[in-house]
Amino acid sequence: VADEYVYDTAKSIIQKSRQPLFLTLLTVSNHQPYLFPVHEKVDHIYNNDDLTQKEKAFQYSDWALGDFFSWYKSREDFTNTIFIVTGDHGFFDDNSNKDLSINLDLYHIPCLIIAPELKPAVINKIASHIDIIPTILPLIGGKFIHQSWGQNLLQDKDRDNFAVISPSGINHISGIITDSHFLVYDFQTTNILYKFLNINSSLHIVRDSNNKLKKIELETLIGSFLKLSAYTLNSFKSGIPQFPES
């Protein structure tokens, strides 16, 4: 389904729904086979011979998102709405299998937060999707309970940053990323520790085989994270059984 049709359906849902509203949209036009409708609003993209079909699809997705925001800005509730724009994976080579890779490029994605009274800023820190909930709940305000294991990216400045990644197609490899290191955690063979040369400018990594203490530290952290997450899921402890009375 082309992105513009997804947004058209979203507009209809929004117009018919009562407030407050929580809505999640998944767009796929920037995925294979990279096809999108051709009409006068996107002719400048379709007819651009300097772009590959894949690049055209990405530009189309960008246009469709911008068109949706242009529509929403005319609504009274725009200044009282929080928008989260992010992806489930990053850009990868067409010959790569994203389900069987732990290439860092696949996990290097932006997260755009647009919210009332939130000042424009760029936050460069290691984070993941589990950090979204504890970040946006304080922006909504009021009392709340959540069981996300993440952190508030706007407030928890003194916490150590890390992200756990797991390819969707294989079960014996995971990884943990910090501001300085990347550990490939292999349940079947040997764990491998890498270090970033300069994570603020590049994802380039090199082996850090001699840093035994850092390797043990990250092995302990990711091992605890994975075991505890498996326990809470399998024992049905990952949800809130009853919201406490106010």
Side-chain angles (χ1 to χ4, degrees):
V1 178
D3 289 5
E4 61 185 281
Y5 301 147
V6 174
Y7 292 125
D8 285 343
T9 301
K11 293 175 186 177
S12 178
I13 294 174
I14 292 168
Q15 290 171 329
K16 296 177 182 178
S17 299
R18 296 179 179 180
Q19 300 286 349
L21 170 67
F22 178 83
L23 185 63
T24 301
L25 306 177
L26 175 64
T27 59
V28 295
S29 288
N30 58 354
H31 292 64
Q32 291 178 333
Y34 306 122
L35 301 177
F36 57 90
V38 180
H39 48 77
E40 61 180 10
K41 292 183 178 180
V42 296
D43 277 345
H44 65 287
I45 299 174
Y46 184 79
N47 295 322
N48 189 342
D49 295 333
D50 293 330
L51 301 177
T52 65
Q53 185 60 35
K54 183 175 184 178
E55 292 169 336
K56 290 179 181 180
F58 272 77
Q59 284 208 5
Y60 166 78
S61 293
D62 188 63
W63 167 84
L65 177 61
D67 187 68
F68 174 73
F69 267 97
S70 296
W71 171 83
Y72 212 114
K73 285 182 178 179
S74 65
R75 292 177 53 85
E76 293 183 356
D77 62 340
F78 176 77
T79 56
N80 194 38
T81 302
I82 298 174
F83 300 90
I84 308 295
V85 182
T86 188
D88 59 339
H89 60 78
F91 184 83
F92 58 95
D93 186 88
D94 288 335
N95 296 321
S96 300
N97 186 337
K98 69 179 179 62
D99 293 328
L100 299 176
S101 174
I102 201 163
N103 188 317
L104 287 178
D105 288 330
L106 292 178
Y107 305 91
H108 188 211
I109 60 173
C111 180
L112 175 64
I113 302 177
I114 302 174
E117 301 181 2
L118 187 61
K119 296 180 180 180
V122 177
I123 301 175
N124 290 315
K125 63 168 57 177
I126 301 298
S128 67
H129 284 161
I130 65 173
D131 298 312
I132 294 177
I133 291 177
T135 299
I136 66 174
L137 283 178
L139 298 176
I140 297 174
K143 295 181 180 180
F144 53 83
I145 294 177
H146 73 87
Q147 287 198 345
S148 172
W149 292 2
Q151 60 176 311
N152 187 335
L153 299 175
L154 302 176
Q155 294 181 353
D156 298 340
K157 298 180 180 180
D158 296 329
R159 288 188 55 176
D160 293 332
N161 303 313
F162 72 91
V164 173
I165 59 177
S166 295
S168 58
I170 47 180
N171 296 320
H172 71 279
I173 291 180
S174 290
I176 185 168
I177 308 167
T178 70
D179 293 326
S180 60
H181 286 81
F182 171 44
L183 177 75
V184 177
Y185 191 74
D186 194 323
F187 298 93
Q188 296 181 351
T189 58
T190 304
N191 303 328
I192 304 175
L193 180 67
Y194 299 89
K195 65 179 179 180
F196 293 101
L197 296 182
N198 186 351
I199 195 172
N200 292 323
S201 61
S202 171
L203 294 179
H204 185 65
I205 54 176
V206 295
R207 291 282 293 267
D208 194 13
S209 304
N210 295 326
N211 197 339
K212 306 297 185 182
L213 291 179
K214 177 59 68 173
K215 184 180 180 183
I216 293 174
E217 174 190 338
L218 295 183
E219 287 174 337
T220 302
L221 180 57
I222 189 174
S224 301
F225 187 97
L226 294 174
K227 290 177 182 178
L228 185 57
S229 62
Y231 169 75
T232 57
L233 180 64
N234 294 329
S235 59
F236 302 99
K237 297 183 180 295
S238 58
I240 301 174
Q242 183 177 357
F243 198 90
E245 297 181 359
S246 57

